[in-house]
């Protein structure tokens, strides 16, 4: 395997406890895996699953999505949040269709060149869709490694070069095993080594975890502020987009004005939606999803 002291235990745990998710099935295509990875960013599996199923049924290939207006991607995105990801997925589908013959590229560097695909997504798709050996470092993985190796409860707010180097050093040498390891550590962080109330009694490497062995010292870094939603511009943006998603036709400004009482905040949120390309202001004063 490798010098990784945790791989045997974590891989065995994953074989027994892995969730049965459709994008992990043997017949999942690279496109469906790419869609899942972008949808799962900052969004729980339970919310992603129904949207992913509807999305891949309607657009089973990149060309299917690329043939429709980007506004339809925003409409189908529903309430997943961070809807700019829908625009990025649409742009990604267009690039794959026009530049790569309609097939998700296997090469890691080429994946990185796609719109909206960053380091994590490129590594995840290269690993999960094509069985390659890449360090996959998401929030769950960072937390598991911070506790196990560094002995601290939470990783730094921003990913560091040291974290990336650590993740790379733990990669099993066989690509297919490395890909399995990547998803296994993510699953351990999602189900057991959670941000709050980790289930250390169920952890397969609890007896090797530096944080647990040190008595689980309390986090003493910069304050960790929970993300708020109620009353924020994000909530206003969501309500404005909901009006447009639910309408088959452009809507008058009056239909948007009723969703939020604070005029200044409402107009600010609408302006940012227009700036982000999520809403098109029409010449007749109405508003629509992008064409």
């Amino acid at each position: 395997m490798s010098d990784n002291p945790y791989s045997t235990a974590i891989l065995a745990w994953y074989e027994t406890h892995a969730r049965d998710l459709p994008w992990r099935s043997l017949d999942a295509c690279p496109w469906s895996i790419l869609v899942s990875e972008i949808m799962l960013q900052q969004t729980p599996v339970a919310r992603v699953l129904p949207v992913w199923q509807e999305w891949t049924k309607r657009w089973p290939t990149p060309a299917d999505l690329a043939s429709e207006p980007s506004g339809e991607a925003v409409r189908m995105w529903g309430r997943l949040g961070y809807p700019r990801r829908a625009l990025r997925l649409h742009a990604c589908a267009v690039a794959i269709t026009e530049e790569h013959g309609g097939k998700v590229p296997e090469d890691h560097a080429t994946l990185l060149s796609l719109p909206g695909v960053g380091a994590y997504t490129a590594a995840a798709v290269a690993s999960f869709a094509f069985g390659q050996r890449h360090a996959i470092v998401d929030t769950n993985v960072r937390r598991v490694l911070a506790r196990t190796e560094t002995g601290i409860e939470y990783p730094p707010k921003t990913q560091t070069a040291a974290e990336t180097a650590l993740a790379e050093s733990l990669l099993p040498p066989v690509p297919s095993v490395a890909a399995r390891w990547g998803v296994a550590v993510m699953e351990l962080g999602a189900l057991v080594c959670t941000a709050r109330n980790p289930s250390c009694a169920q952890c397969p490497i609890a007896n090797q975890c530096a944080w647990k062995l040190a008595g689980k010292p309390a986090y003493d870094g910069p304050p960790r502020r929970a993300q708020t939603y109620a009353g924020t511009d994000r909530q206003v943006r969501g309500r404005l987009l909901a009006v447009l998603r639910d309408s088959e036709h452009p809507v008058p400004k009056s239909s948007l004005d009723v969703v939020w009482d604070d005029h200044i905040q409402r107009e600010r949120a609408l302006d940012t939606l227009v700036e982000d390309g999520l809403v098109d202001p029409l010449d007749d004063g109405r508003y629509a999803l992008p064409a």
Side-chain angles (χ1 to χ4, degrees), residues 154-171:
Y154 299 113
K157 185 175 182 180
T158 303
Q159 185 174 326
T160 66
E163 289 178 284
T164 302
L166 173 60
E168 290 175 345
S169 73
L170 293 174
L171 275 178

Side-chain angles (χ1 to χ4, degrees), residues 10-227:
I10 290 180
L11 288 169
W13 172 87
Y14 181 75
E15 291 300 320
T16 303
H17 297 89
R19 289 170 290 184
D20 183 16
L21 301 174
W23 47 81
R24 291 180 180 167
S25 68
L26 293 177
D27 60 353
C29 68
W31 169 244
S32 69
I33 293 171
L34 173 58
V35 171
S36 75
E37 288 300 335
I38 291 181
M39 287 185 172
L40 286 164
Q41 294 168 8
Q42 299 177 283
T43 310
V45 166
R47 292 181 59 199
V48 166
L49 189 55
V51 180
W52 179 90
Q53 290 170 327
E54 293 174 5
W55 187 289
T56 52
K57 181 178 180 180
R58 178 171 175 178
W59 298 309
T61 70
D64 293 322
L65 175 56
S67 68
E68 297 208 37
S70 60
E72 286 305 299
V74 176
R75 192 188 309 278
M76 282 288 287
W77 196 256
R79 299 183 181 276
L80 279 185
Y82 304 101
R84 277 177 288 184
R85 292 180 293 167
L87 293 181
R88 292 179 190 136
L89 253 180
H90 185 271
C92 199
V94 171
I96 292 170
T97 303
E98 295 180 351
E99 301 169 21
H100 304 287
K103 294 183 178 181
V104 176
E106 295 186 30
D107 178 66
H108 180 264
T110 307
L111 284 167
L112 268 176
S113 73
L114 295 174
V117 174
Y120 164 77
T121 304
V125 173
S127 297
F128 304 152
F130 301 111
Q132 298 175 17
R133 184 178 182 271
H134 296 281
I136 303 165
V137 187
D138 76 342
T139 301
N140 288 318
V141 172
R142 295 181 65 221
R143 186 170 58 253
V144 170
L145 297 185
R147 291 172 179 173
T148 305
E149 280 282 308
T150 316
I152 57 176
E153 187 175 10
Y154 299 113
K157 185 175 182 180
T158 303
Q159 185 174 326
T160 66
E163 289 178 284
T164 302
L166 173 60
E168 290 175 345
S169 73
L170 293 174
L171 275 178
V174 178
S176 60
V177 179
R180 195 76 168 167
W181 158 258
V183 71
V185 180
M186 289 170 59
E187 194 78 333
L188 184 67
L191 301 182
V192 174
C193 193
T194 54
R196 297 181 181 179
N197 303 315
S199 303
C200 296
Q202 280 73 52
C203 180
I205 56 170
N207 63 345
Q208 298 169 273
C209 175
W211 181 59
K212 183 176 184 296
L213 294 175
K216 298 201 271 191
Y219 175 74
D220 62 357
R224 290 169 50 83
R225 296 181 178 86
Q227 286 191 338

